Amino acid sequence: MATVTDRAVGVSLVGFSLLLFTYYSIWVIVLPFVDADHVLHHYFLPREYAVILPSVAALVVLLCIGAFVGAVMLKNRKPKKVD
């Protein structure tokens, strides 16, 4: 069973993901149709970051996965047999 702490962490991660998804969706889908001088533009970064930030995040995730797989492979490497 999950403890109270596990559930709290899970709920907070889901809430953060929902907030991030909503922010990004408004930024990419809604904002191009809003006038450039509208006050809503003050809450968002410039549009080029809508491509740069997810690309950098994906690169970091792939590097972490590769580092983890490499570390596991090095740790579980069997020594060579000497005849």
Side-chain angles (χ1 to χ4, degrees):
M1 281 305 284
T3 63
V4 176
T5 306
D6 292 338
R7 290 180 187 213
V9 169
V11 167
S12 64
L13 286 174
V14 168
F16 177 74
S17 298
L18 183 62
L19 182 70
L20 188 66
F21 176 76
T22 304
Y23 179 85
Y24 188 77
S25 296
I26 291 172
W27 185 22
V28 172
I29 297 171
V30 175
L31 212 57
F33 299 106
V34 177
D35 292 332
D37 59 345
H38 195 272
V39 71
L40 189 61
H41 281 277
H42 295 291
Y43 297 108
F44 296 91
L45 293 171
R47 284 191 199 136
E48 54 267 6
Y49 289 107
V51 175
I52 294 171
L53 290 177
S55 301
V56 169
L59 181 65
V60 168
V61 166
L62 288 174
L63 286 173
C64 289
I65 290 171
F68 174 75
V69 169
V72 169
M73 288 176 65
L74 285 175
K75 184 179 177 184
N76 292 335
R77 184 172 40 170
K78 295 179 182 176
K80 293 182 180 179
K81 293 181 180 180
V82 178
D83 288 331

